[in-house]
Amino acid sequence: MELSHASSIEQMSKSTQASDRLQGCISVYGQLPVNELRTRILMLHSPSSNVAAVSCSLEVMTLHPEPKRPYTALSYVWGDPSITEDVIVNGVSFAVTSNLVSALRQIQKGFGDVHLWADAICVNQKDVQERSQQVLLMKNIYSKAERVIGWLGPDDNGGSQALRTLETLLSNTIRYPDNFAWFRKMPELLTLNGTYPMDNGKTFESNDRIENLLLLLRRPFWRRIWIVQELVLPLNLRLLCGEEFTDIPEPDSFHNTVDKLSRISNGRPKFLPLGLWMRVNECFAVLRLLAALRHQHLHQEDQANRIWQGISGFLHARPLLEFHKTSDPRDHVYGLLGLIDLDIVPDYGEDVTVADVYLEVARHCLKAEPLDILCFAGTTHSYNGPDCLTHLDPPSWVPDWRLPPPARVRLHRYPQSHAFPSNGGLQMQVIDHNWLRGSAVVWDTVSRTEHKTGWDLTEWDLVEKIDIEKPGDRAYPSGISRFKAIIILWLGGYDGSKTSRCDLQLNSELFRSYEIILFANIAKPWANKHGRHEIPKLVDCMFGQNRFTAVPDVPNGHRESYVARSRQLRYNMRCFHTERGYIGLGPLATEVGDLVCILEGHKAPVLLRRRGSHYIFVSDCDVVGIMNGEVLEAVKLGEAAITEIEIR
């Protein structure tokens, strides 16, 4: 709940400024029974000509087995806790944030007498035990509500018009299901009728209605972690901006509508300018996430959606919510309890730290999904500069949910890999409540890192130092050519040493296309460095023939796939080289001297940093040639040894 939005818990546990201004709490709040499904509901009174303040009364209501009366739950952002207005509750005046007062006034004006649940009033914000208890009821409160109203804020920057545009988009998509036929029915969206500034100081042309819709979907409301469950749980959802409101279709219909709305089966329609098309897609991104989460929650019993249950659900949800924020970092966990059962009891006591909460989640993850939690952990660069590293207080293997997920999340990018399959015996275990200890192979050491990172890194940066006259330079440790290894690293492929479900295998048409594209991208700088007479040698090294009569054609879609995949894999990553001659991708924090290790039970190689008798977890990583049990084969041949390590 913010407990609903900036989170009542968020705002009040981090800063008690707003709660300190509450007046008359003793007379307003009685003690709620512990361990019972009870909460308070407020009754909004009709506006009075004699009283300017919003007036309401509170009553305690049970939620089990069903609420005794229909009620509406409010979803909103608290706003600045220092900007408050008085409301009257049970005849007592006390202060709440101005954004809540605006919502109450609009609901009172538009919908009359309403039984309403709003966290800032219905929950005693000064009672830490009550706040913790009410978080556990969020699933019941929002799923059992007759309707949830999402208050987007006042009618600023064309907000009401934007909400009408959204409603028209949804209705036209249902009426005209053909690909983008709905757009032709809305010519007012196709006109470039304004010039708008960009972050880089440049300007671009766009449509005022699309820009207003984008501003509406960029409001802080959509970025609060508590908003997620408040919009996903209810069957009936209404969005309210100023005096304008629209009802979101039920989950299945909404999901199908948004899918049609954002379908790109034939790419950008010719009648739609590129800049406008990009803005429309940005609008769709928020709607796609909301539609997908509502649909998956409704069908969570289906086999396809069971990944959203328990610890597995938490790990799969986190990458989708990387842009969501919270004032209390503990709410990155507590704010999802209404959607995902983590078997964790919220505790907002002052003696419970952020590190305590994150460590508790990590322990649960190790029991349910061994070592998958490491995909989200590690040392990362902070936003304060490229030389500033940040991490939650030790231990290093515990993810810091305050930070965006790592650029590479193996659960989604390489589900088929398994560097060190567990035999069901030894596993990494938590010792002394903090540290990880278990079996590992310390395989290699980082000897060099590329200076360019992320999207600045190019194929030429990786091949420039290759001397094709030297067999050691041409060959890769796993038995393939170094050029093939670069393609695999660049595009997320597989070196073919074992059976794999990966689509990018050495004998595939797609891999052949990628080889041709790589050659085309490096041929000119190669000729500039070595001379054009050396190109036949490059062709022979890459393709096993000394010349092309013509560069082979690349099938439709393969070039676009090459660009998209390479950008995805390189984002926020650093390429590194090892003493044994391997190449890999790790986080920006990767340093020379980091150790490439294989942990029992983990899907990927990891980078560790030695600190005396123990190790610090840097990140998991991609290393071509050791992603699928190859290191264990080396152990059987006596070329490596399994040892016990401790990660702190």
Side-chain angles (χ1 to χ4, degrees), residues 611-626:
R611 291 289 186 268
S613 61
H614 65 272
Y615 298 87
I616 300 297
F617 185 81
V618 178
S619 175
D620 62 356
C621 59
D622 304 334
V623 181
V624 178
I626 61 170

Side-chain angles (χ1 to χ4, degrees), residues 170-178:
L170 296 176
S171 62
N172 278 345
T173 305
I174 296 173
R175 292 171 59 195
Y176 309 104
D178 292 340

Side-chain angles (χ1 to χ4, degrees), residues 82 120 202 212 246 264 330 343 349 356 416 490 588 602:
S82 67
K202 297 182 180 180
N212 287 341
T246 187
I264 317 177
R330 293 173 291 188
D343 194 26
D356 291 335
Q416 81 284 351
W490 199 251
L588 298 179
H602 192 36

Side-chain angles (χ1 to χ4, degrees), residues 69 573 621:
R69 69 170 79 251
M573 300 290 281
C621 59

Side-chain angles (χ1 to χ4, degrees), residues 238-258:
R238 172 171 291 175
L239 299 180
L240 179 64
C241 180
E243 297 183 356
E244 193 73 26
F245 71 87
T246 187
D247 290 320
I248 296 298
E250 55 87 18
D252 280 340
S253 176
F254 185 51
H255 181 263
N256 292 334
T257 300
V258 172

Side-chain angles (χ1 to χ4, degrees), residues 74-342:
L74 182 62
S75 179
Y76 69 108
V77 173
W78 269 50
D80 190 338
S82 67
I83 303 176
T84 63
E85 297 180 38
D86 286 342
V87 296
I88 307 299
V89 182
N90 292 351
V92 177
S93 176
F94 63 90
V96 295
T97 59
S98 293
N99 192 49
L100 174 55
V101 174
S102 297
L104 295 178
R105 284 202 175 103
Q106 192 55 56
I107 293 172
Q108 190 180 56
K109 177 182 178 181
F111 308 108
D113 293 345
V114 178
H115 287 91
L116 191 69
W117 191 90
D119 62 331
I121 298 176
C122 296
V123 179
N124 185 352
Q125 302 299 326
K126 287 187 174 181
D127 188 331
V128 173
Q129 181 179 5
E130 179 176 310
R131 289 184 1 231
S132 299
Q133 179 189 7
Q134 290 288 294
V135 167
L136 291 175
L137 301 185
M138 288 301 97
K139 182 175 182 178
N140 288 279
I141 290 171
Y142 280 91
S143 62
K144 293 183 181 234
E146 181 181 42
R147 173 182 287 111
V148 167
I149 292 179
W151 170 245
L152 304 181
D155 183 16
D156 296 334
N157 298 314
S160 293
Q161 181 197 60
L163 204 57
R164 290 193 296 271
T165 299
L166 175 60
E167 184 175 35
T168 306
L169 277 172
L170 296 176
S171 62
N172 278 345
T173 305
I174 296 173
R175 292 171 59 195
Y176 309 104
D178 292 340
N179 193 32
F180 297 114
W182 51 268
F183 227 130
R184 295 186 182 276
K185 303 298 179 180
M186 303 180 68
E188 67 274 14
L189 299 185
L190 301 178
T191 305
L192 297 176
N193 56 11
T195 302
Y196 300 87
M198 299 174 66
D199 293 338
N200 60 9
K202 297 182 180 180
T203 60
F204 68 98
E205 289 186 303
S206 186
N207 176 275
D208 58 351
R209 295 191 179 222
I210 294 297
E211 291 303 312
N212 287 341
L213 178 58
L214 191 55
L215 287 175
L216 183 71
L217 295 174
R218 284 177 171 177
R219 290 192 180 191
F221 174 86
W222 303 99
R223 295 294 182 243
R224 309 311 302 177
I225 196 70
W226 288 100
I227 296 298
V228 178
Q229 65 177 11
E230 294 164 6
L231 301 188
V232 169
L233 289 171
L235 192 61
N236 299 312
L237 174 62
R238 172 171 291 175
L239 299 180
L240 179 64
C241 180
E243 297 183 356
E244 193 73 26
F245 71 87
T246 187
D247 290 320
I248 296 298
E250 55 87 18
D252 280 340
S253 176
F254 185 51
H255 181 263
N256 292 334
T257 300
V258 172
D259 181 59
K260 294 174 184 176
L261 190 67
S262 57
R263 190 173 296 155
I264 317 177
S265 59
N266 297 314
R268 174 174 61 92
K270 293 182 179 179
F271 60 83
L272 197 59
L274 176 60
L276 191 56
W277 173 240
M278 295 174 64
R279 306 297 273 183
V280 168
N281 269 291
E282 188 174 346
C283 293
F284 292 164
V286 175
L287 300 177
R288 278 197 297 266
L289 177 59
L290 176 59
L293 292 177
R294 282 173 61 79
H295 180 264
Q296 288 163 348
H297 175 71
L298 180 66
H299 298 282
Q300 59 183 309
E301 297 305 319
D302 295 350
Q303 187 67 35
N305 291 318
R306 288 183 180 176
I307 61 171
W308 294 89
Q309 298 178 1
I311 289 298
S312 178
F314 179 77
L315 295 180
H316 281 83
R318 285 305 313 178
L320 298 175
L321 307 177
E322 63 176 301
F323 299 112
H324 289 75
K325 301 176 182 178
T326 174
S327 297
D328 186 333
R330 293 173 291 188
D331 287 334
H332 283 297
V333 175
Y334 295 160
L336 295 176
L337 294 182
L339 288 177
I340 303 168
D341 182 12
L342 296 181

